[in-house]
Amino acid sequence: MDIDLPLIWAGIIAFAVLAYVILDGFDLGVGILFPFFPQKHDRDVMMNSVAPVWDGNETWLVLGGGGLMAVFPLAYATILPALYAPIIAMVIGLIFRGVAFEYRWRTKRAEYLWNWAFAGGSMLAAFAQGITLGALVQGIPVENRAYTGGWWDWLTPFSIMTGIAVVVGYALLGATWLVMKTHGDLAERARSLALKCSFGTIAAMGIVSLWTPFLEPLYLQRWFGWPTAIFSIIVPLLVLGCLYLLITGIRTRHDTRPFLAALGLFVLGYAGIGISFFPYIVPPSLTIWDAAAPDASLSFLLAGALVLVPIILAYTGYAYWVFRGKIDPEEGYH
């Protein structure tokens, strides 16, 4: 039996990107919420809640981006020219966010600058990721195996909407993370913000979901043609289920349920994107088989991935296990 190596690698890349979104999403969300917590002590606790794990979360971004270049080089060569601006903006935001983790603790006079670097970098990275997602979903024109669009094709009302949706969604993840990890007044204010972000996230998901099918005939057929139209019933019902668990978890003062329900919303949103344009990796032009490297290369790289991915999962899981539970406000990573 022949092994469909491009399909396997598409699954690995998709998993890496999803892992990055749900793991780095909550610590970017903590940064997005920074302006809503003006007290220095609260900000110290917020940063300490993610400081032990934030850099490990970036591993999945490296794996997803590096894997895309290695196993789907044609997709990499067409996506990057189309999305240079938002991807560079994302990297700049991540750099400022990462540097702020260290510099904020080393200065008093310029601490306010690094507070803004942490918050601004997180917002910029999140918004740029949403723009990138929207530009990919709306389609990238390809002819003769090359990008044929313009410099500003990525900037459209739809991509701006997805940028806003990702910022609000990450804020929800950040707020529910703080509910799970902190005590007292900080946790209570995070709970209030989580409730507001819940409705904002659902509204944004609804707008994007209703907009997406009309971007490409493929999407319209996928969501409203038989038999895949069944997803138009299953996915919204699951979203409503996650929303119910989220709202009731917040109102009943449950610590972990809101965070898990928020993660569920992101997983379902990600699944909806996959349903929309599978098997295309660069919709509507390139399928995963069109963009894949030779099978010999895919086999060689898969051997490494079978070793590397379990190691990453193991140390990521171990880090979260070691730093589990609520943090002590008087102790910190730094």
Side-chain angles (χ1 to χ4, degrees), residues 59-145:
T59 306
W60 297 104
L61 179 62
V62 176
L63 178 62
L68 182 68
M69 180 182 68
V71 301
F72 296 110
L74 183 56
Y76 188 88
T78 53
I79 291 173
L80 263 291
L83 303 177
Y84 273 135
I87 290 175
I88 290 172
M90 177 191 73
V91 172
I92 291 172
L94 292 176
I95 289 171
F96 273 97
R97 189 274 301 260
V99 172
F101 267 103
E102 304 300 331
Y103 278 45
R104 182 180 176 274
W105 301 90
R106 303 301 178 188
T107 179
K108 299 301 180 184
R109 184 170 55 184
E111 182 178 342
Y112 73 97
L113 293 176
W114 295 109
N115 286 336
W116 281 108
F118 184 65
S122 298
M123 291 180 189
L124 176 61
F127 186 65
Q129 288 176 16
I131 288 273
T132 300
L133 171 64
L136 181 62
V137 171
Q138 71 189 10
I140 295 176
V142 177
E143 291 182 14
N144 298 321
R145 300 166 64 88

Side-chain angles (χ1 to χ4, degrees), residues 24-46:
D24 206 34
F26 70 76
D27 61 53
L28 287 172
V30 169
I32 291 168
L33 295 175
F34 230 50
F36 297 93
F37 296 86
Q39 298 299 318
K40 172 177 167 51
H41 181 264
D42 289 341
R43 290 179 170 181
D44 290 346
V45 173
M46 291 167 70

